[in-house]
Amino acid sequence: MEATRCFTSLLKLFIWITIFLIFSCSPSRKRKLEISANILCGKWSLEEEKRVNYPEIEFCKDRTAVLYSQADTIYRFTFYTRNDTLFLVDVYGKRYVNRIKKLTNNTIVFDGIADVDKEQTYKR
């Protein structure tokens, strides 16, 4: 009887240790940015010497975005955000998905913007 009680106690201890190890060793989740479209509103300028395209971007309160090219072309999009992602939709319905890596009051860093795949950093 005493051996059974000892075995049961050891089994319970083993189960608790196993549960603890499972939860403590699981990969930590990265906290995603929760970005509101209102935070983006305003004019942003590209802060890099080697400009690929879109030296200025303007996000408007009516959920339109204007991307100015290095030439004289202006691109208009509607936009929305979900978590850490910016979605741009052009007049033909083509959707561009761009992850936002960092956002502060004065800086925004994209993995790419529209058809540009290179990381882009903009300042207000």
Side-chain angles (χ1 to χ4, degrees), residues 19-85:
I19 291 171
F20 174 76
L21 288 174
I22 288 171
F23 285 108
S24 65
C25 294
S26 62
S28 62
R29 296 181 184 175
K30 281 188 172 181
R31 186 172 179 268
K32 287 187 176 181
L33 293 172
E34 295 287 333
I35 297 170
S36 165
N38 292 331
I39 296 172
L40 298 177
C41 289
K43 273 197 169 185
W44 299 83
S45 298
L46 191 60
E47 280 292 311
E48 298 176 16
E49 290 180 23
K50 288 187 175 182
R51 296 181 179 196
V52 177
N53 207 350
Y54 314 123
E56 288 189 354
I57 300 175
E58 185 174 2
F59 294 102
C60 304
K61 290 183 187 248
D62 65 353
R63 300 293 189 258
T64 58
V66 180
L67 280 67
Y68 301 92
S69 74
Q70 292 220 335
D72 60 352
T73 309
I74 296 174
Y75 300 95
R76 294 190 186 280
F77 299 88
T78 57
F79 77 93
Y80 61 96
T81 58
R82 186 176 305 140
N83 296 325
D84 64 346
T85 305

